Amino acid sequence: MKKENKMVKMLVLFETPAGYAMFKLQNEKKLKNVDNIYDEFSTAEKAQENLQLVAFKKFKSTADAVECTSSLHEGKMNKTLKKLLKGKVDENEQLAVGDAKLGNLIKAILIKSFAGSLTLHLVECSEHKAQLFDYLKNRMTALAPNLTCLLGELVGARLISHAGSLVSLAKAPASTVQILGAEKALFRALKTKKDTPKYGLIYHAQLITQAPAKLKGKMARKLAAKCALATRIDALADESKGAEVGMECRAGLEAVLRGEQERGPKKISGTSHKHEKYHFKSETFEYDEANDVPKKPVKRKFDDDEAEPTTKRAKIKLETDLSTRVVEVGQHTFRLTDVECYKDNVISEAKMV
């Protein structure tokens, strides 16, 4: 779809003996293909159809009128005309003037006026931005002091806004906090089977931006773990201890970063040792038929077998009447269940009569 052009309003400045008049042109298309513009304003009715009075600035006296006329001839802008143009002409409006010298003078004045208004607008925007930042700083310090200490007010607020709330961010694991904000890149990498992103919104934290390119992924992983811990303390702790945990975690991460930078890249072990050049030595071996005889298996003996010899129980035969199978032992009489019994188990395998 084509964008519609904004309608530019055209104003007409007209000087009369009584003062300055400013008109608004009703229909610009009507005057584009006109050979003689005077015919369109020959009567009051035609002029009323094409123009509409916007403002009129009256001369205070005859001396004021003479002063305005003389100042225009000298190339200066008088106060009466300045008051008329102030607030009536915007950037999206065009002003038609009959005198070219007066038009150049008004153009220079309007440019200065627009520049001044633009500067004033920028100052107001900067003041409003400072107020918003102070409000954000106070709110983040009160709600999530530990997270603010690790990431800063702006990055911490963006993480909380992306997660939905501070409690939702506290429920997320460190791996989710690390890539929060890079969901599209993550799913695209999984779909195309490429490397997944190492960081999301957490990339804008100071601890990661000041780290070298090779350590950004490692610092993002460590910072995400500390942020998950700090967020849970801010959201779920019963008593607020301020930003003590956040300050300790930040000091530890800064120490790790300094150590990694001082250590430099790791060297592969053994690269400094020079090895001798390898020479291939060809050796041939002959087949020995004498050694190709299977050996007899040897039974292994254990120390337990020699130390504890097996003891066999001696069997005894009881000479009794086989028909009755009754044995008298002292005052007791037993009926045997088996004729051949072990000596130790005679009583246990007999039943008392």
Side-chain angles (χ1 to χ4, degrees):
M1 296 178 65
K2 296 182 179 180
K3 295 183 179 179
E4 297 181 357
N5 296 328
K6 294 182 178 180
M7 296 297 295
V8 179
K9 184 170 63 174
M10 179 175 286
L11 302 176
V12 179
L13 181 64
F14 186 70
E15 183 182 1
T16 64
Y20 293 106
M22 185 177 292
F23 297 93
K24 177 184 176 182
L25 189 61
Q26 297 287 356
N27 191 0
E28 298 179 9
K29 296 181 180 179
K30 191 174 182 180
L31 299 179
K32 284 184 178 180
N33 300 323
V34 176
D35 297 333
N36 191 0
I37 299 178
Y38 178 77
D39 294 338
E40 298 293 333
F41 299 94
S42 58
T43 60
E45 290 77 8
K46 289 184 178 181
Q48 190 175 2
E49 291 178 0
N50 296 323
L51 297 176
Q52 180 183 0
L53 183 63
V54 176
F56 182 79
K57 190 66 176 177
K58 183 180 178 181
F59 294 132
K60 296 180 180 180
S61 60
T62 306
D64 188 17
V66 173
E67 183 182 355
C68 291
T69 305
S70 60
S71 61
L72 290 177
H73 284 289
E74 294 175 359
K76 297 179 181 179
M77 182 77 69
N78 55 74
K79 295 181 180 180
T80 305
L81 187 57
K82 284 183 179 180
K83 291 180 181 179
L84 177 64
L85 297 176
K86 187 177 180 181
K88 300 297 181 182
V89 183
D90 298 332
E91 296 179 357
N92 298 326
E93 295 176 343
Q94 295 180 354
L95 182 63
V97 183
D99 189 2
K101 187 176 181 180
L102 178 60
N104 294 330
L105 183 61
I106 293 175
K107 183 178 180 181
I109 297 297
L110 289 178
I111 289 175
K112 292 181 180 179
S113 177
F114 293 153
S117 62
L118 180 60
T119 305
L120 182 62
H121 182 66
L122 291 176
V123 171
E124 292 177 355
C125 289
S126 62
E127 292 177 355
H128 184 62
K129 182 180 179 181
Q131 292 177 0
L132 289 177
F133 183 76
D134 292 339
Y135 171 76
L136 179 64
K137 183 178 180 180
N138 295 332
R139 293 295 295 171
M140 287 296 296
T141 305
L143 294 177
N146 295 290
L147 183 64
T148 304
C149 184
L150 285 172
L151 299 179
E153 296 84 4
L154 186 59
V155 181
R158 292 178 67 182
L159 274 179
I160 295 174
S161 176
H162 196 83
S165 64
L166 182 62
V167 178
S168 300
L169 184 62
K171 293 178 181 179
S175 58
T176 304
V177 176
Q178 182 179 352
I179 61 172
L180 198 64
E183 290 83 1
K184 291 184 179 179
L186 174 64
F187 293 122
R188 183 170 60 250
L190 294 176
K191 186 177 180 180
T192 57
K193 296 182 180 180
K194 294 183 179 180
D195 295 337
T196 56
K198 297 179 181 179
Y199 25 66
L201 294 173
I202 203 174
Y203 176 80
H204 301 284
Q206 185 181 5
L207 288 172
I208 298 180
T209 54
Q210 68 184 6
K214 295 182 179 180
L215 298 177
K216 287 185 183 294
K218 184 176 182 179
M219 290 304 300
R221 185 172 62 254
K222 291 181 176 294
L223 182 59
K226 299 299 182 183
C227 288
L229 176 63
T231 307
R232 290 164 188 171
I233 294 175
D234 293 334
L236 307 175
D238 296 334
E239 297 180 359
S240 177
K241 296 183 179 180
E244 296 179 1
V245 178
M247 294 176 65
E248 292 178 1
C249 294
R250 186 181 180 88
L253 291 174
E254 290 177 351
V256 170
L257 181 59
R258 285 195 301 269
E260 292 290 341
Q261 290 177 348
E262 293 174 358
R263 187 183 309 168
K266 295 182 179 180
K267 296 182 179 180
I268 302 175
S269 60
T271 54
S272 59
H273 180 69
K274 295 182 179 180
H275 297 278
E276 296 180 358
K277 189 175 181 180
Y278 176 75
H279 297 281
F280 178 73
K281 297 179 181 179
S282 177
E283 297 181 2
T284 57
F285 299 92
E286 296 181 357
Y287 178 70
D288 189 4
E289 296 181 357
N291 294 330
D292 193 9
V293 179
K295 297 181 179 180
K296 295 182 179 180
V298 180
K299 188 176 181 181
R300 297 176 62 185
K301 294 183 179 181
F302 298 96
D303 297 338
D304 297 340
D305 298 340
E306 297 177 358
E308 297 180 359
T310 56
T311 56
K312 296 183 179 180
R313 294 180 179 179
K315 290 184 178 181
I316 59 172
K317 289 186 178 181
L318 300 177
E319 296 179 357
T320 57
D321 188 2
L322 296 178
S323 59
T324 58
R325 295 185 181 182
V326 176
V327 178
E328 293 182 0
V329 180
Q331 298 179 358
H332 301 282
T333 304
F334 298 93
R335 181 182 290 112
L336 300 179
T337 59
D338 194 358
V339 177
E340 294 182 358
C341 300
Y342 293 103
K343 184 178 181 180
D344 297 338
N345 298 333
V346 171
I347 305 300
S348 61
E349 295 185 5
K351 293 183 180 180
M352 186 178 291
V353 178

